[in-house]
Amino acid sequence: GPGLRATALILAANSLIADGQSDYVKQYLWTGDSSKYNGGAIKFDLDYVVEGYDSSTCDLWEEIRDPDFFWNRATMKKAMLVGASFADQMGDADSAATYTATMTEINSTLYSAHFNGDFVQECSARTR
C-alpha cells in the first residue's frame, strides 16, 4: 500500500540524493508543488496515508474488511515517521508537522487496539 511504497521511495530518494541526483528527486519524487505530479510520488502517498489511515481496508487475503489492521497501521506509522524526516530534509516543515501528528494519532491506538495481553491480533474482525 501507500505506506510501504512511500517508505521504499524515501529509501531510493535518499540514495539518489547521496549519489548527486537530487534534481531527479525534486522533479518526480518530491516536487514541492501539488500541481506537479501531485507533489511527487512520495508526497502523494504520504498525504494519502494522512487522509485515509483510518479508512476501511482488507487483509492480505482480501477476506475481511476493517478500518484497523495492525500490519497496515504499523507500515503507515513507519511511513509517517520517515516521511516527516524526509519532508524536513526537503524543506517542507508543514508536511513534516502533519506527518508527525498523524504518526502520533496512529501510534495512540496501535498497541491498545491490537495487543490483548498475550498476543497481537490483526484486527477485531478476525476471530480465529
Side-chain angles (χ1 to χ4, degrees):
L4 286 175
R5 187 172 46 241
T7 301
L9 286 172
I10 289 168
L11 289 169
N14 283 329
S15 292
L16 288 167
I17 291 168
D19 196 36
Q21 298 183 52
S22 60
D23 288 345
Y24 180 88
V25 172
K26 291 176 184 173
Q27 184 175 357
Y28 297 109
L29 301 179
W30 192 282
T31 67
D33 180 355
S34 61
S35 69
K36 291 182 181 176
Y37 302 110
N38 296 304
I42 294 169
K43 185 164 176 31
F44 181 77
D45 281 342
L46 293 173
D47 289 347
Y48 184 89
V49 171
V50 168
E51 295 298 320
Y53 77 88
D54 58 353
S55 62
S56 187
T57 60
C58 60
D59 67 348
L60 295 173
W61 301 271
E62 299 183 357
E63 297 172 337
I64 296 176
R65 293 195 63 80
D66 195 271
D68 194 18
F69 282 104
F70 177 78
W71 311 116
N72 288 351
R73 292 287 177 104
T75 62
M76 291 175 190
K77 175 188 172 183
K78 173 71 173 184
M80 294 292 98
L81 187 65
V82 297
S85 176
F86 189 75
D88 270 336
Q89 179 183 338
M90 298 304 289
D92 190 343
D94 290 341
S95 290
T98 298
Y99 302 151
T100 299
T102 302
M103 187 273 299
T104 302
E105 289 177 36
I106 292 169
N107 198 51
S108 70
T109 62
L110 190 60
Y111 295 102
S112 63
H114 297 281
F115 184 65
N116 70 4
D118 294 321
F119 61 91
V120 174
Q121 63 182 21
E122 182 181 22
C123 71
S124 59
R126 180 155 324 267
T127 58
R128 50 185 166 140

